[in-house]
């Protein structure tokens, strides 16, 4: 059971938009700790997609955006493309555990 | 170009030990906080351990406390993870990653990752 909760899977057709949620608690996201998002293509290492809630590293398309409110955060992907099919993970810090924590991951399927 | 190259992953027996290494290049290793993240087959990511740039602060996930030891040699630009008392549930790909801190404590994210080294625990 992950400290951060994500839906196991989401799907959308090419060109559509999807949102992946990440729900935490008062000891992590709700305590003000930043949320970061990673994309992991099959057989590869994770790659940071969004850092500090809303920031995109250079090279990440602006089709990817992040938001945070209260004890939750979200990753939005617009204009879905086949290459977006991947696993996505949120990550934050938990002060009760003194631990960096990941969500369980969400598999995005592009129909 | 930032590179993180893990090595040392192997087939280990329950109760045995392994030492993983991560050779870093392309950035100032001695100024960077570092960490290990593992991923069991078909499962999600789990943070395992973290160490500050000078080694003065070390943190472990609850599932590995007392069995894993993270360390670093800044003169060799190398990060280590000593794994003792191997268990079947330690079977995973182990990634080393640079931990970028943008604000206060706990604000780290993992901005560069190695390709991972596989650890399999089986008799």
């Amino acid at each position: 059971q992950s400290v951060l909760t994500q839906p196991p899977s989401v799907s959308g057709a090419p060109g559509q938009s999807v949102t992946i949620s990440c729900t935490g608690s008062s000891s992590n996201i709700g305590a003000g700790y930043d949320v970061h998002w990673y994309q992991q293509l099959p057989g590869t290492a994770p790659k940071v997609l969004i850092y500090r809630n809303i920031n995109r590293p250079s090279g990440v398309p602006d089709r990817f955006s992040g938001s945070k409110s209260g004890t939750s955060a979200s990753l939005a992907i617009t204009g879905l493309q086949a290459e977006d099919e991947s696993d996505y993970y949120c990550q934050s810090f938990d002060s009760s555990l003194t631990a960096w924590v990941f969500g369980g991951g969400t598999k995005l399927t592009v129909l | 170009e930032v590179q993180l190259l893990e090595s040392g992953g192997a087939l280990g027996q329950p109760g045995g030990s392994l030492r993983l290494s991560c050779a870093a290049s392309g950035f100032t290793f001695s100024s960077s906080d570092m960490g290990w993240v593992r991923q069991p087959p078909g499962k999600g990511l789990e943070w395992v351990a973290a160490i500050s740039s000078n080694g003065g602060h070390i943190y472990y996930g609850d599932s590995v406390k007392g069995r894993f030891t993270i360390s670093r040699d800044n003169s060799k630009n190398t990060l280590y993870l000593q794994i003792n008392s191997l268990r079947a549930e330690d079977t995973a790909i182990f990634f080393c990653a640079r931990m970028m801190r943008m604000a206060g404590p706990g604000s780290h994210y993992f901005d560069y990752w190695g390709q991972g080294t596989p650890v399999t625990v089986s008799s």
Side-chain angles (χ1 to χ4, degrees):
Chain A
Q1 192 80 349
S2 301
V3 172
L4 304 179
T5 300
Q6 298 180 233
S9 62
V10 297
S11 63
Q16 289 188 335
S17 300
V18 296
T19 299
I20 299 172
S21 62
C22 175
T23 302
S25 67
S26 59
S27 61
N28 42 68
I29 299 174
Y33 291 104
D34 291 329
V35 177
H36 320 286
W37 291 90
Y38 303 86
Q39 178 189 55
Q40 187 179 31
L41 297 168
T44 69
K47 161 192 159 185
V48 61
L49 210 56
I50 298 288
Y51 65 95
R52 296 204 72 196
N53 309 311
I54 61 171
N55 299 285
R56 283 187 309 275
S58 60
V60 174
D62 60 6
R63 301 186 296 104
F64 295 89
S65 63
S67 63
K68 175 189 163 187
S69 178
T71 58
S72 296
S74 294
L75 173 70
I77 309 172
T78 60
L80 275 176
Q81 299 180 4
E83 57 261 36
D84 297 334
E85 192 160 283
S86 182
D87 292 326
Y88 293 86
Y89 295 89
C90 60
Q91 176 251 311
S92 186
F93 181 82
D94 191 285
S95 57
S96 293
L97 300 171
T98 310
W100 288 268
V101 291
F102 287 93
T106 299
K107 182 175 182 60
L108 167 63
T109 300
V110 180
L111 302 170
Chain B
E1 179 193 5
V2 171
Q3 286 196 331
L4 295 168
L5 186 61
E6 303 96 334
S7 60
L11 171 63
Q13 292 202 335
S17 298
L18 285 174
R19 189 195 199 200
L20 308 184
S21 299
C22 173
S25 61
F27 65 100
T28 307
F29 181 76
S30 59
S31 298
S32 300
D33 298 340
M34 299 294 296
W36 289 95
V37 175
R38 68 181 178 182
Q39 185 171 35
K43 296 191 177 180
L45 303 171
E46 179 191 13
W47 167 74
V48 168
I51 185 168
S52 61
S53 57
N54 65 1
H57 294 91
I58 288 175
Y59 306 90
Y60 297 100
D62 283 346
S63 62
V64 306
K65 276 179 188 171
R67 298 191 301 120
F68 287 21
T69 302
I70 188 172
S71 62
R72 64 192 297 160
D73 186 336
N74 285 346
S75 69
K76 295 182 178 179
N77 287 352
T78 303
L79 177 72
Y80 302 100
L81 186 68
Q82 177 70 37
I83 305 175
N84 296 330
S85 303
L86 280 165
R87 302 172 179 171
E89 54 264 36
D90 294 326
T91 295
I93 301 292
F94 282 73
F95 297 99
C96 82
R98 189 175 80 166
M99 298 179 69
M100 174 61 73
R101 173 175 165 171
M102 300 292 288
S107 68
H108 297 81
Y109 67 99
F110 303 89
D111 64 341
Y112 290 103
W113 298 66
Q115 85 291 345
T117 188
V119 169
T120 302
V121 182
S122 175
S123 55

